[in-house]
Structures are given as C-alpha cells and as structure tokens.
Amino acid sequence: MFFNAPVGLFYTVNQAMGIGAKMDIAMMRNVMTSVKVQGLDTCPQAAWNHLHALVLNILDAAQFEELVCSMALGYADSE
C-alpha cells in the first residue's frame, strides 16, 4: 500500500541492458532529492520484488522488463 502514499512508483530495467543498468536505477536518488525540494517525501522499497510477476503483469510491462524496486511518494506523516 506504499505506506498510504498517494503515488507508488515502480522502476524497471530492460534485461538486455545487463547488471550495469541497475546502477542507472540507483540514480533514483535524483528523484528523491528533487521531490524533497518540493516538500514531498519518498520511501524506496524492495519489498515488492518478490511480487515481480504480478506487478509487471499489472503494469503491462514487456516480457524483457525486470522489476528493480518501487518507491512511495507523498507527504510524510509527522505523527
């Protein structure tokens, strides 16, 4: 449920790109920094990875896509 965040992001990579492409996904830190400047918060999650087949099916991802991680995006609950 992405900690009740209004937005859930899924990061995928084309399997043909090899292991090095996962480093590109690691640069999602840029997204995290950019939204923080706008007053939003994020929470990267690998917990979705064990549901990769279901997630990729729902996303209608191509067969050669691999789920790398997900991220919750929204306003933090300070309480």
Side-chain angles (χ1 to χ4, degrees), residues 6-78:
V7 176
L9 303 172
F10 290 100
Y11 291 85
T12 67
V13 67
N14 185 314
Q15 293 171 348
M17 300 302 290
I19 194 78
K22 291 184 180 167
M23 195 61 201
D24 295 336
I25 296 296
M27 294 181 191
M28 67 184 186
R29 183 70 184 154
N30 293 340
V31 172
M32 296 171 73
T33 302
S34 297
V35 301
K36 187 69 172 176
V37 170
Q38 300 299 317
L40 294 163
D41 290 286
T42 58
C43 180
Q45 302 171 22
W48 288 90
N49 289 15
H50 73 282
L51 299 171
H52 66 275
L54 176 65
V55 170
L56 292 172
N57 184 52
I58 290 170
L59 295 177
D60 198 25
Q63 286 184 332
F64 49 81
E65 289 295 311
E66 179 179 352
L67 179 62
V68 177
C69 66
S70 61
M71 182 184 296
L73 171 65
Y75 294 100
D77 182 353
S78 60

